[in-house]
Amino acid sequence: MSWHVLGAGSLGGLWAARLFRGGEPVRLILRDRPRLAQYRAGGGLRLTEGDTTSLYPLPAEAPEAGNPIRRLILACKSYDAEEAIASVAARLEPDAEILLLQNGLGSQDAVAARVPRARCLRASTTEGAFRETDFHVVAAGAGQTWIGDQLGTQAAPPWLETLCALGFTLRWTDDIDARLWRKLAINCAINPLTVLHRCRNGELRQHAAEVADLCSELAALLEAMGLAPAAQGLQQEVEAVIAATANNRSSMLQDVERGQRTEVSYLLGHALPIAQRLRLPVPQLEALHQRLRARLEERGLPVD
Ligand code: NAP
């Protein structure tokens, strides 16, 4: 049974190359025919791991290709997810499974609403990869990926074990949304501040009080949402992430520096309306969002 990977960027490239190398039938779905022509001209997908770069001649196709899709890995950014799934919706088999790799929250519901018959699995990953150039991906650090159903009611799909044998570090969870919320909270406490202070993660240690205030509001929000376990020890974990990734630039800072759209709508932009609905005051998070939007506007970037 073939895999399709939509989006041959950082994570999509990493996943697709690993599947291909492991002997799994896999096809890339690229944005359109010009992108497909560019990909074919390069001879395939390059993956650098450590000192080794390999070229994998993965088959690729445009969204409108005719073959049906049974297992799809959606590997685009959150803001592209809904349009991307719409472009292949007619090709999905009735019992299709879709693995959503998007960070933050909001895009997963939008995708599921577009394809109500498919089984949409959500992932939260600490894997890292970046694009050296188009269709050349660099694996930037091992991590693990939690996968689960939104309602946590179904069993893990049988292919989970197959993928683990290929070198993926995957874990099944009955509570994927709590994990996604925890990660969202960590991202909200770190990423916007790195943009505002134009700094690597480790420099946030000089802004410890600001980080602590944000953590306290984020933990209160998680508790108000009935996700108390996801709120526990949030500040300590944020501090540990800052220390462990001291030399890294956050994904949001990288997006801003490259002049690319950020995923803010799926992080702070997703959390704030929920706080409002719960009538929970979160003044520090509101102010952070305003400052971030002002900075994005200054840089000529979309504020959502
Ligand atoms: P990325 O490098 O920008 O790759 C996204 C890819 O999606 C691009 O190749 C883009 O195509 C493609 N795409 C967008 N719309 C498409 C469409 N309609 N049809 C086909 N392809 C389409 O992004 P990424 O870093 O892999 O991130 C993907 C998601 O994973 C994000 O939500 C991110 O937050 C999350 N994540 C990433 C990492 C990481 O280390 N990279 C870690 C954890 C989580 P073009 O090349 O044509 O633009």
Side-chain angles (χ1 to χ4, degrees):
M1 204 174 298
S2 187
W3 289 91
H4 283 85
V5 177
L6 186 152
S10 315
L11 274 195
L14 185 68
W15 276 68
R18 278 198 197 134
L19 285 167
F20 183 80
R21 186 170 60 192
E24 290 283 309
V26 53
R27 302 181 69 81
L28 290 171
I29 301 176
L30 304 182
R31 199 182 272 285
D32 50 28
R33 293 196 174 278
R35 210 77 179 107
L36 187 58
Q38 274 173 12
Y39 170 77
R40 286 183 176 150
L45 190 68
R46 283 174 175 75
L47 174 64
T48 299
E49 287 169 297
D51 295 335
T52 311
T53 298
S54 309
L55 174 66
Y56 297 106
L58 272 98
E61 62 198 31
E64 61 273 19
N67 56 319
I69 298 173
R70 169 75 182 81
R71 285 179 188 157
L72 176 68
I73 296 171
L74 195 69
C76 55
K77 297 277 198 181
S78 310
Y79 47 76
D80 283 326
E82 203 179 338
E83 198 182 319
I85 201 66
S87 75
V88 294
R91 295 173 56 193
L92 294 173
E93 288 188 8
D95 55 351
E97 291 170 303
I98 306 173
L99 181 60
L100 304 170
L101 294 185
Q102 287 64 44
N103 199 13
L105 277 154
S107 68
Q108 298 88 345
D109 286 342
V111 168
R114 284 269 184 170
V115 287
R117 286 192 306 168
R119 183 184 188 192
C120 288
L121 298 165
R122 297 157 182 235
S124 176
T125 186
T126 55
E127 284 214 273
F130 62 88
R131 272 197 272 190
E132 181 76 25
T133 55
D134 278 352
F135 311 120
H136 180 176
V137 174
V138 180
Q144 71 172 8
T145 303
W146 289 92
I147 297 177
D149 273 313
Q150 187 195 8
L151 300 175
T153 46
Q154 297 189 50
W159 46 258
L160 207 74
E161 274 185 31
T162 315
L163 296 197
C164 288
L166 300 183
F168 291 88
T169 309
L170 307 179
R171 306 271 302 272
W172 182 252
T173 171
D174 289 337
D175 207 356
I176 188 65
D177 274 11
R179 288 195 177 272
L180 283 163
W181 267 106
R182 174 76 168 199
K183 180 138 190 273
L184 179 150
I186 294 169
N187 283 167
C188 286
I190 295 177
N191 296 12
L193 283 181
T194 63
V195 173
L196 293 171
H197 295 296
R198 291 197 183 109
C199 69
R200 288 177 193 262
N201 292 359
E203 289 166 54
L204 291 184
R205 284 178 286 207
Q206 291 156 32
H207 304 278
E210 215 176 351
V211 172
D213 285 347
L214 294 174
C215 287
S216 141
E217 289 189 0
L218 287 160
L221 174 59
L222 293 174
E223 276 171 21
M225 291 174 65
L227 296 171
Q232 264 171 28
L234 179 65
Q235 186 182 332
Q236 287 85 339
E237 189 173 351
V238 166
E239 287 166 359
V241 170
I242 288 172
T245 60
N247 212 23
N248 294 4
R249 285 189 172 83
S250 74
S251 55
M252 193 177 273
L253 179 61
Q254 289 181 43
D255 287 339
V256 170
E257 286 181 340
R258 288 194 206 113
Q260 285 175 358
R261 184 175 175 186
T262 69
E263 294 184 301
V264 58
S265 289
Y266 302 87
L267 299 167
L268 269 178
H270 184 76
L272 288 173
I274 294 178
Q276 213 168 27
R277 237 177 288 145
L278 294 170
R279 298 184 194 285
L280 180 77
V282 285
Q284 304 288 337
L285 289 169
E286 297 275 10
L288 181 72
H289 196 209
Q290 287 310 318
R291 286 161 67 203
L292 180 65
R293 286 164 66 97
R295 176 61 57 83
L296 295 175
E297 213 161 18
E298 237 172 71
R299 303 281 301 239
L301 294 173
V303 295
D304 62 352

